[in-house]
Amino acid sequence: MALLTYNSPATKGSYPHRSAPARPTRIRTGHRRQSRILTDTGRRRPGRILTGAGLVLLPWLGYLAGTLPPAEAAAWVTLDTLEAAALLLAGTRLLRGDPRHRTPAAAAALLLLTDACLDLATATPGTELATALAMAIGAELPLAALCATLAARPAAAPHSR
């Protein structure tokens, strides 16, 4: 009984007094990367951007199929279909909070970079080259950078319910 009384929290004063509210204790994990984990709000905007870009590519596929010669159309439509699929998969997974968004984001980054390079390499000088350059600078390379960033970031821990 003496040991129980000696170790009692009441005698040690470890319980907070009723007049002073208890302050939560901060636990430091020692990891600086923890702040870079995607949170619920940090994945909405990129998820919407990727999903929107994937949806915009769908009518573009029809335009390419209808305006390019059949041999070229097959190659470009295939590349853009893979891009759209990777963007839609990464974007919807990001919006749902699925931590498996990293692989399709990495694939989309690689496909977008490939598309930009091929557009610039195959464009004829003049209007076609200016259009390819504008698409690369205005859409493909920024989307590739976003996808590469999302692929390199650690995924958020799943919610436990």
Side-chain angles (χ1 to χ4, degrees), residues 48-119:
R48 288 179 181 156
I49 291 170
L50 296 184
T51 304
L55 290 173
V56 165
L57 277 175
L58 297 178
W60 178 250
L61 295 172
Y63 172 77
L64 287 178
T67 58
L68 292 176
E72 288 181 30
W76 288 111
V77 168
T78 301
L79 178 62
D80 286 351
T81 300
L82 291 172
E83 284 176 23
L87 287 168
L88 287 169
L89 192 59
T92 55
R93 282 184 178 179
L94 214 63
L95 288 173
R96 284 192 321 234
D98 190 342
R100 298 174 300 157
H101 68 275
R102 295 172 68 184
T103 302
L110 181 64
L111 290 166
L112 286 162
L113 185 61
T114 302
D115 192 5
C117 290
L118 288 174
D119 281 343

Side-chain angles (χ1 to χ4, degrees), residues 119-135:
D119 281 343
L120 292 171
T122 59
T124 57
T127 309
E128 194 175 317
L129 182 60
T131 303
L133 192 59
M135 286 180 64

